[in-house]
Amino acid sequence: MRKLIPQLLQGDPSIEVVGTAMDGLLGLKKIGELHPDVVTLDLEMPRMDGLEMLRQIVRRYHIPVIVVSKPQRNGRVFGLECTGSRSV
C-alpha cells in the first residue's frame, strides 16, 4: 500500500505527495516535519500499527486521515474505534 497509494495519487496533477513512511513512528515524525494537508494511512505497519498512529495523529495534529487497508487474512475488515474521528 505504501508504494501503490502515492503512485495512484501522483496521477492527479492537483495532488502533491510530500512524503511516505515505512512505519508509524517514522510517519509521525514526517507529519511533524512536512505538515501535510491530509494523510493516507495503512492499518498494517511495523513498529507502531495504523490504529495507534491514527490515535496519535488525532491527538497531536488534527488533520484529515484517509484510512486505506486491505482485509485481514481471515477476510474480515478492521473495525475502527477512535474517539474524535468521523467515518464516511
Side-chain angles (χ1 to χ4, degrees):
M1 288 288 186
R2 180 173 52 95
K3 293 180 183 178
L4 176 63
I5 299 303
Q7 287 175 352
L8 293 172
L9 293 175
Q10 288 172 344
D12 184 330
S14 67
I15 297 174
E16 178 186 5
V17 176
V18 295
T20 63
M22 58 191 284
D23 64 58
L25 293 175
L26 185 56
L28 289 173
K29 180 180 178 193
K30 285 192 171 187
I31 290 170
E33 294 170 355
L34 300 172
H35 309 287
D37 295 326
V38 66
V39 171
T40 59
L41 175 64
D42 188 355
L43 295 178
E44 294 185 29
M45 295 185 300
R47 295 204 310 164
M48 175 188 290
D49 68 42
L51 287 177
E52 181 56 31
M53 184 176 175
L54 179 59
R55 287 184 194 99
Q56 294 294 324
I57 292 170
V58 169
R59 275 189 220 131
R60 296 181 193 184
Y61 299 107
H62 309 286
I63 59 175
V65 178
I66 299 170
V67 176
V68 182
S69 196
K70 62 183 179 181
Q72 291 179 330
R73 290 187 183 109
N74 61 10
R76 295 177 15 201
V77 177
F78 285 99
L80 295 178
E81 299 177 12
C82 292
T83 305
S85 64
R86 293 177 278 163
S87 61
V88 177

